Amino acid sequence: DVKVTQSSRYLVKRTGEKVFLECVQDMDHENMFWYRQDPGLGLRLIYFSYDVKMKEKGDIPEGYSVSREKKERFSLILESASTNQTSMYLCASSLGLPASTDTQYFGPGTRLTVL
Amino acid sequence: AQKVTQAQTEISVVEKEDVTLDCVYETRDTTYYLFWYKQPPSGELVFLIRRNSFDEQNEISGRYSWNFQKSTSSFNFTITASQVVDSAVYFCALSEIPQGGSEKLVFGKGTKLTVNP
């Protein structure tokens, strides 16, 4: 079974803090993704990575950065947290088949509140 | 541009009723993939099905079935004899073949299904 884990289920931070959200997958997947989920807006892609040290912007990268130093770990960084970044953050990974679209498997999510 | 529409925001049924969740998509590609995910109250998205655009056969898995019709760009999901444990938000998603880098999923806004005892 694919397992994607996220470092925290719930997190409360203050405005201006630097926040790290960690995601780890144990299936040797090539691709990893960070989404945020907001009521009425669905899931929106923040960043994704298709290889170690590679990253690409998704639809809403502003205010975020990512790091992928090892294949199994993909970190989302909020450089200076703001209240409008209060959201549910979901990490996903996929095998990375060439010229195809493989299934993305999701972690349990981190509900971040920025006060 | 890709687009996925789930017109039903919320559906409420009584246990044992059948329920169909609608999904309509837009894409200019001839090769693409469609997905359904379930998000129970715990929050984790659970993969249900992946279907490529060349496979129009309907699929059945236990009480779940999917009807894929390219002619109407729809990929509808039916739960037969619904149960309380089916209560969740269900997402339909679309992906085209990536031109470079990784695939990108576009999600619908989800349909919240409540099954009452």
Side-chain angles (χ1 to χ4, degrees):
Chain A
D1 271 1
V2 177
K3 192 155 179 70
V4 180
T5 56
Q6 295 182 229
S7 50
S8 307
R9 289 302 302 270
Y10 299 94
L11 210 52
V12 180
K13 295 291 181 181
R14 298 227 172 256
T15 302
E17 279 192 72
K18 190 168 185 175
V19 181
F20 293 85
L21 302 183
E22 306 285 342
C23 175
V24 177
Q25 50 92 6
D26 67 356
M27 287 303 293
D28 203 34
H29 281 178
E30 299 292 330
N31 301 332
M32 297 188 75
F33 308 81
W34 275 107
Y35 294 86
R36 66 176 280 178
Q37 183 180 11
D38 301 288
L41 297 176
L43 278 83
R44 294 178 292 167
L45 181 65
I46 305 172
Y47 267 98
F48 64 94
S49 168
Y50 53 90
D51 199 356
V52 175
K53 296 194 187 293
M54 303 297 287
K55 61 186 179 185
E56 290 214 14
K57 292 180 181 179
D59 298 319
I60 51 164
E62 297 78 20
Y64 303 94
S65 61
V66 290
S67 171
R68 193 164 180 205
E69 297 294 321
K70 293 185 178 180
K71 192 175 185 181
E72 68 270 17
R73 188 179 297 269
F74 192 35
S75 303
L76 180 70
I77 303 155
L78 287 66
E79 295 290 342
S80 177
S82 63
T83 53
N84 63 12
Q85 292 178 309
T86 292
S87 185
M88 169 74 113
Y89 290 87
L90 291 158
C91 175
S93 72
S94 70
L95 186 58
L97 298 170
S100 179
T101 298
D102 198 12
T103 300
Q104 291 185 22
Y105 294 93
F106 285 80
T110 296
R111 192 168 291 281
L112 172 68
T113 302
V114 182
L115 301 174
Chain B
Q2 306 171 64
K3 188 175 174 184
V4 177
T5 302
Q6 295 180 255
Q8 304 147 308
T9 308
E10 291 194 43
I11 300 175
S12 184
V13 299
V14 177
E15 219 172 6
K16 295 192 176 64
E17 279 187 43
D18 298 348
V19 58
T20 295
L21 309 182
D22 297 333
C23 174
V24 174
Y25 61 91
E26 291 177 33
T27 178
R28 286 177 292 187
D29 272 21
T30 55
T31 305
Y32 51 89
Y33 290 81
L34 294 161
F35 300 80
W36 275 94
Y37 286 87
K38 173 184 179 179
Q39 187 177 41
S42 59
E44 182 174 347
L45 261 77
V46 177
F47 164 72
L48 296 178
I49 190 170
R50 167 180 177 257
R51 175 56 55 86
N52 76 53
S53 53
F54 296 111
D55 182 3
E56 282 195 78
Q57 270 197 320
N58 290 334
E59 176 137 351
I60 298 175
S61 176
R63 295 184 297 107
Y64 294 172
S65 62
W66 290 270
N67 184 312
F68 177 27
Q69 293 204 351
K70 285 176 83 168
S71 59
T72 56
S73 297
S74 65
F75 187 43
N76 296 338
F77 173 32
T78 298
I79 302 174
T80 303
S82 60
Q83 300 176 0
V84 172
V85 293
D86 296 327
S87 297
V89 181
Y90 291 87
F91 290 94
C92 180
L94 164 72
S95 180
E96 295 165 348
I97 294 294
Q99 297 304 312
S102 180
E103 71 273 7
K104 181 178 166 183
L105 275 182
V106 172
F107 285 86
K109 292 205 168 29
T111 297
K112 182 178 181 182
L113 173 65
T114 302
V115 181
N116 299 299

